[in-house]
Amino acid sequence: MSRQVTSILLLVGLITGANLLLAASVRGASAESLQLERDVELDTLLTQRARYALERVALVDGQSRPRHVNASLNIATGVITVRLDRSFLPEDYGPSFEDQRSNINNGLIYEAEKFAPVSAVEYLYDGKDIYHYFPEVKAADDAARLEGERRRQAAERSGLAVVAAGHGYFMSYRTNTWVTSRDEHNGVSEGLLTPLYAGELRALVEARSGMAVTRARVQEPGATHPESGFEWWTMAARYAIAQQYPMETGIWNTYAGSTLWDREEREDINSRPKLANHVGADVVIHLHSNGEDSGVVRGSRVIVQPGRAVDAALGRSVLCSMKELIQSRAGYETCVVAPAPHVDNKGENREAHMPSIIVETAFHTNPADAAALLDPEFRAASVSMKTFRRSRAILPGGR
């Protein structure tokens, strides 16, 4: 072969290789550009959803409608970040603010999880997180986490669980009337429904595991709470705990001297994990139904505290079992169950010195979910002993 022909072949090879590399580069750039375009579209959708919610959600004390709203999802971490101005900061950090944030979160998670998994929703106010403005909330979380680590390292075990039915009647000093934290939706009043779930779970655990269960709220019907005139089983946990432990005011009277209108609701939230700490429980399960203003969001979810690995593992186990058991029931084959727990800083979990999870069984604001919540078959699947038995093995020293 002549030197000229060899040179031509080498040149053709080099040109071909260069073209292939260029094509690959273009394809890579196109794929990256397409992904970027999709990310921008998703962030635009989330921003629209956040604005929709923030324009309609009931404001809490100290807030006004935010002027600037932006939301985006970090697909690598699964974290939605909502950027607001300081006008949406509450006067203080209480249960009304936590409930409001959950309402907004639920809509954002619903939209984002059509495209990618979500682990948490975080908020920035003029670029700073909520703990910059309320450092005492983070301090309480840090202190409880450290005490929980100490207990785990010491292998302290009591064989006791606390099951806490969400909400119930409390005294509102804004209206000087006894009220519930949740309005009725689709025939479901959350604070009057959750005791049924808690009662069923307690009976199963005690009968089949030998583990003792303490309930935060009174369960027996018939007796009347003297101050309100309502039956005891409808009352928030704070009042039952005060009756049982009148001298332990550090559990149920944590806002003594306060003039806040919702001080007894705040005490109710705090009293549940503080009761669990007092009795040395190994685990706390908080039972709730969920809410979201549009009414389209549905499904079962579990909420865990940030940075608590055992709680997250417990939440995953509970969700896995719930999915298996709920979807095995006729009529519930397509029921939505979250694949993993969502992370949020919640008062019921925050103060606990042991693994603590919030089980949001279904959305009372969605008609189909509300019908399920009222169905004994769904209730039995949601709090099945199989779910608890599997999950107990997650706990330190569990079996």
Side-chain angles (χ1 to χ4, degrees):
M1 185 181 294
S2 69
R3 185 176 299 174
Q4 183 178 12
V5 172
T6 301
S7 299
I8 292 171
L9 289 174
L10 285 171
L11 181 59
V12 169
L14 288 171
I15 292 171
T16 301
N19 285 335
L20 289 172
L21 287 171
L22 178 61
S25 176
V26 169
R27 283 196 300 272
S30 298
E32 186 177 336
S33 176
L34 181 60
Q35 183 60 51
L36 179 61
E37 185 178 335
R38 288 173 178 168
D39 290 350
V40 170
E41 289 175 357
L42 176 55
D43 291 348
T44 299
L45 177 65
L46 291 176
T47 298
Q48 291 171 347
R49 181 76 190 212
R51 286 175 177 161
Y52 173 89
L54 289 159
E55 287 169 0
R56 291 162 176 79
V57 73
L59 298 177
V60 303
D61 293 344
Q63 285 182 328
S64 58
R65 303 289 175 192
R67 298 179 298 277
H68 307 292
V69 180
N70 176 269
S72 60
L73 171 65
N74 183 325
I75 292 177
T77 63
V79 175
I80 297 173
T81 300
V82 182
R83 299 168 184 83
L84 307 170
D85 54 79
R86 289 185 58 179
S87 62
F88 200 65
L89 277 172
E91 189 174 282
D92 69 340
Y93 192 111
S96 296
F97 174 62
E98 286 191 354
D99 289 347
Q100 178 199 66
R101 191 175 56 189
S102 293
N103 191 322
I104 300 167
N105 291 356
N106 286 333
L108 290 170
I109 291 169
Y110 169 76
E111 292 294 350
E113 288 191 338
K114 295 175 182 177
F115 306 94
V118 173
S119 60
V121 182
E122 297 179 347
Y123 292 79
L124 298 177
Y125 305 83
D126 281 352
K128 298 178 175 63
D129 67 25
I130 194 68
Y131 309 116
H132 173 81
Y133 304 98
F134 301 103
E136 68 278 8
V137 176
K138 187 175 187 305
D141 182 35
D142 290 343
R145 184 184 296 105
L146 288 173
E147 176 59 21
E149 288 298 329
R150 186 201 65 76
R151 284 194 65 199
R152 279 190 282 278
Q153 290 173 10
E156 296 178 11
R157 299 279 295 170
S158 64
L160 177 66
V162 168
V163 173
H167 303 296
Y169 282 105
F170 71 93
M171 168 55 75
S172 165
Y173 291 95
R174 175 172 284 167
T175 59
N176 289 316
T177 57
W178 294 90
V179 300
T180 59
S181 300
R182 297 287 184 276
D183 295 331
E184 183 175 314
H185 292 272
N186 300 306
V188 174
S189 179
E190 182 180 359
L192 305 185
L193 177 73
T194 52
L196 298 176
Y197 281 71
E200 189 148 340
L201 179 57
R202 177 193 180 183
L204 287 168
V205 171
E206 291 189 332
R208 301 183 190 178
S209 79
M211 194 176 194
V213 175
T214 293
R215 284 182 60 182
R217 290 173 62 182
V218 173
Q219 54 267 26
E220 289 77 14
T224 300
H225 176 248
E227 287 82 9
S228 68
F230 292 116
E231 286 192 63
W232 260 111
W233 72 270
T234 69
M235 302 303 298
R238 176 230 187 257
Y239 306 102
I241 296 169
Q243 184 189 51
Q244 187 173 4
Y245 299 97
M247 304 305 294
E248 300 294 340
T249 55
I251 301 176
W252 55 268
N253 197 23
T254 48
Y255 279 81
S258 170
T259 59
L260 292 167
W261 71 269
D262 61 346
R263 55 189 178 270
E264 292 190 5
E265 182 186 22
R266 293 167 186 250
E267 290 175 337
D268 177 54
I269 298 296
N270 291 345
S271 69
R272 298 157 187 267
K274 286 182 178 294
L275 171 66
N277 295 342
H278 180 73
V279 300
D282 294 332
V283 63
V284 192
I285 308 292
H286 305 277
L287 297 172
H288 285 262
S289 60
N290 215 338
E292 189 275 331
D293 284 345
S294 75
V296 301
V297 183
R298 60 180 309 194
S300 303
R301 296 179 180 178
V302 167
I303 310 299
V304 298
Q305 198 67 7
R308 302 193 189 182
V310 176
D311 304 43
L314 176 62
R316 282 192 294 273
S317 177
V318 166
L319 286 167
C320 180
S321 296
M322 287 180 73
K323 181 176 181 178
E324 176 187 336
L325 295 166
I326 291 172
Q327 293 181 353
S328 69
R329 303 291 175 115
Y332 295 111
E333 295 87 351
T334 60
C335 223
V336 178
V337 178
H342 294 99
V343 175
D344 199 3
N345 194 329
K346 290 286 209 175
E348 285 169 292
N349 288 335
R350 182 168 55 244
E351 300 275 359
H353 297 165
M354 67 292 297
S356 176
I357 64 172
I358 298 171
V359 180
E360 300 279 9
T361 47
F363 280 80
H364 52 252
T365 46
N366 177 275
D369 269 20
L373 285 166
L374 297 171
D375 181 0
E377 284 288 313
F378 179 86
R379 182 168 69 242
S382 299
V383 297
S384 165
M385 183 58 206
K386 185 177 180 182
T387 297
F388 184 82
R389 187 164 53 241
R390 284 181 179 176
S391 302
R392 189 181 177 188
I394 301 294
L395 304 176
R399 59 189 183 279

